[in-house]
Amino acid sequence: WSTGEKSKTITVNQPGNYSVTISQDGCSFTDQVTIKEVALPDVNLGPDRTLCAGEQAILTAPTGTYTYKWSTGATSSNIEVRASGEYWVEVTNSIGCTIRDEVTVDVKPEPGLTLQQELTACYGEQINVDATTPGATYLWSTGHTTPTVVVTAPTSLTVAITVDGCTYTREVNVVSNECPIIPNIITPNGDGKNDTFVLQGINIDQVEIEIFNRWGASVFKSSKYDNRWAGSGSGMYYYHIRSGQTQKVYKGWVEVVR
């Protein structure tokens, strides 16, 4: 052999050209073979990982002319994981050499968030939204960093709740019901108290209102009321209010005292 060995077979572990000469009955025959080295895939899934609930991790094996076998059964070069567990991949090159690596993924459980994501209040009513969670910090879309905020219905807002390094974002929708508060007396004397016919608990931008005097004559009409009617003199008046939001009709009387 070109290696100097004289046995029928030799074992080699280096690439290169190898030749052998066989002699028999005074005749010699020479042949050679070339051994090429194919690089093993460099498989490294990285260090063990910790995820927050709802997060995902992409585990990636080297790309190339390889075949893949993951613990999940996948045969692609990468996989997406969301659950705790031990994941491994076997990467095989073109001549059947296989390298394996594994990684542990730990997913933190989501804390018990007691935040109500839909609340109901009367239109224009202030309501307390409570996201209190033990050990948490907060950032509301309003800019507040307190566990609770006070908002006016209707509205929607978000809060980012951070616990143990993980942030959970929740949206809160505050729905408004009509709870109309309609005065039955106004005193337009300029003292800043009860001077106009003010509707509360209802969206006045979506209100059609008509007011009649005691003889049934219309004295005021608006399809977008601004809470500024102050009467046309002292006396009894009768209102007809239609909500554009619910189509409900509210009827009654109001006394103007000057």
Side-chain angles (χ1 to χ4, degrees):
W1 290 89
S2 55
T3 61
E5 296 177 75
K6 298 182 180 299
S7 58
K8 289 183 178 181
T9 63
I10 62 172
T11 300
V12 298
N13 57 16
Q14 295 295 325
N17 294 320
Y18 296 88
S19 63
V20 62
T21 299
I22 301 173
S23 298
Q24 185 177 11
D25 297 331
C27 297
S28 296
F29 305 91
T30 300
D31 199 6
Q32 69 175 17
V33 65
T34 299
I35 303 298
K36 294 181 179 180
E37 184 178 60
V38 176
L40 292 173
D42 181 15
V43 184
N44 184 2
L45 296 179
D48 293 343
R49 308 186 191 190
T50 299
L51 304 178
C52 298
E55 289 184 340
Q56 65 184 29
I58 305 297
L59 304 182
T60 303
T63 58
T65 55
Y66 307 128
T67 59
Y68 307 90
K69 180 181 179 182
W70 291 88
S71 52
T72 62
T75 56
S76 56
S77 63
N78 60 70
I79 61 170
E80 177 183 294
V81 298
R82 297 175 180 269
S84 295
E86 184 177 276
Y87 297 89
W88 54 259
V89 63
E90 293 178 346
V91 182
T92 303
N93 66 13
S94 59
I95 61 170
C97 298
T98 298
I99 299 296
R100 173 185 170 123
D101 195 26
E102 60 188 36
V103 65
T104 299
V105 176
D106 180 43
V107 179
K108 294 181 181 180
E110 183 174 304
L113 303 179
T114 59
L115 174 68
Q116 291 181 263
Q117 293 187 253
E118 182 164 300
L119 300 168
T120 302
C122 294
Y123 183 88
E125 180 184 4
Q126 289 191 321
I127 185 171
N128 187 61
V129 183
D130 189 351
T132 300
T133 303
T137 59
Y138 313 87
L139 179 59
W140 296 85
S141 54
T142 60
H144 292 83
T145 56
T146 51
T148 63
V149 294
V150 176
V151 296
T152 302
T155 190
S156 61
L157 66 162
T158 59
V159 59
I161 305 170
T162 301
V163 183
D164 191 24
C166 295
T167 298
Y168 309 93
T169 300
R170 295 291 185 270
E171 182 176 0
V172 180
N173 188 29
V174 182
V175 180
S176 67
N177 284 334
E178 283 189 352
C179 316
I181 302 173
I182 305 174
N184 57 18
I185 187 170
I186 61 173
T187 56
N189 54 17
D191 65 355
K193 299 178 181 179
N194 208 31
D195 283 331
T196 61
F197 188 54
V198 175
L199 305 179
Q200 296 176 310
I202 190 170
N203 184 0
I204 60 173
D205 288 338
Q206 297 184 28
V207 158
E208 295 179 2
I209 181 172
E210 189 168 8
I211 299 178
F212 306 86
N213 62 20
R214 69 178 67 183
W215 296 284
S218 176
V219 296
F220 177 81
K221 186 175 183 180
S222 174
S223 60
K224 192 174 182 180
Y225 187 49
D226 59 5
N227 276 343
R228 296 181 62 182
W229 184 75
S232 305
S234 297
M236 297 292 292
Y237 295 85
Y238 302 88
Y239 57 79
H240 183 284
I241 299 170
R242 179 185 295 276
S243 166
Q245 180 178 342
T246 64
Q247 303 305 312
K248 288 183 178 180
V249 174
Y250 305 95
K251 299 179 181 180
W253 57 269
V254 59
E255 183 178 4
V256 177
V257 179
R258 292 184 179 273

